[in-house]
Amino acid sequence: MPRARSRYAPDRGLTGRMVTTMFLIGLLYVVFVGVLLAALQGSWPIILVIAGGLFIAQFWFSDRIAAYGMGAREVTPEEAPELHGAIDRICALADMPKPRVAISRSDVPNAFATGRSEKTALVCATTGLLRRLEPAELEGVLAHEMSHVAHRDVAVMTIASFLGVLAGIITRVALWGGFARTRPGNDPAGILLLLIPLISAVVYAISFLLTRLLSRYRELSADRAAALLTGRPSALSSALTKVSGQMARIPTEDLRKAEPYNAFYFVPAFSSKESLGRLFSSHPTLERRLDQLARISADLSR
């Protein structure tokens, strides 16, 4: 028999947004591949094989690639008893199987979760986070990350980002001249080949916006679910404030290394105040997250 759902509060808003995002991304993917097939009729088998292969690789290996890129190393209970103990308590509260536990040796105070399902899930905390947070604050952060696993939005974000990655690659190839060598004149095939970079750029932009909108909502959903599960929204608020405040003290080089993985992190890392990443951030503002937690705390106190 299938295992019962976890005790994390369900979020119909998140579920609806995930379904809508996947539908729109899927529709965009079909249109995108269709345009490529129409433009490169003689190469359609190669296009289908490459697109299918990239999709399978993205789905099966992207979480491992992300974990490797962020320096995650699995640890045993003997190596990290405090971290394992906190995750054990959250699993007991949520009635969830225990994920793999990892530590990233980075002074950037953060945490993240990856995995296609509960069986393949990995929850990682950085050494900077473990050193700075109190036990209750750490549990709040880990409960936040575990909610991503319970709601399966990590897998959805992984799949949803695939088309943007593919479109971005094709756009770069086109800029390097890959599609520029086409026949002159008014030949329809040549015109269509010239349109591919433009179509790829539009697809990338739409995919980027869809994943950003979903990402911001899922972070609010994870904060809410973690606060309700632990019953201590103030601890999560304290962790958010402390981690966000400490980011300014982290060396710029370390922040730049962390920026590409912001969509996975508990709190985004920006290397400068003028960074464009702030404008298109994968996370809601700190003020919005704290306001939500304050409302939850007031509701729980009643």
Side-chain angles (χ1 to χ4, degrees), residues 109 132 241-250:
R132 289 175 173 89
T241 303
K242 187 178 292 186
V243 170
S244 299
Q246 289 290 321
M247 284 295 179
R249 303 181 182 181
I250 303 300

Side-chain angles (χ1 to χ4, degrees), residues 8 11 34 73 84 105 107 111 153 169 173-175 188 191 193 221 231 292-293:
Y8 273 104
D11 191 324
R73 182 183 69 85
H84 271 271
R105 299 205 172 278
D107 195 44
D153 54 79
I169 291 173
V173 170
L175 292 174
I191 295 173
L193 282 173
S221 176
Q292 176 183 246
L293 291 171

Side-chain angles (χ1 to χ4, degrees), residues 9 223-237 291-302:
D223 285 346
R224 181 166 55 250
L228 293 174
L229 180 74
T230 61
R232 290 184 291 187
S234 60
L236 186 55
S237 295
D291 285 345
Q292 176 183 246
L293 291 171
R295 290 195 301 270
I296 294 173
S297 182
D299 289 342
L300 291 176
S301 65
R302 296 195 194 98

Side-chain angles (χ1 to χ4, degrees), residues 9-23:
D11 191 324
R12 293 183 180 179
L14 177 62
T15 301
R17 282 168 172 79
M18 288 194 296
V19 171
T20 301
T21 299
M22 289 302 295
F23 173 77

Side-chain angles (χ1 to χ4, degrees), residues 73-84 101 103 105:
R73 182 183 69 85
E74 286 190 53
V75 291
T76 64
E78 292 73 26
E79 292 176 298
E82 180 184 358
L83 181 58
H84 271 271
V101 180
I103 288 179
R105 299 205 172 278

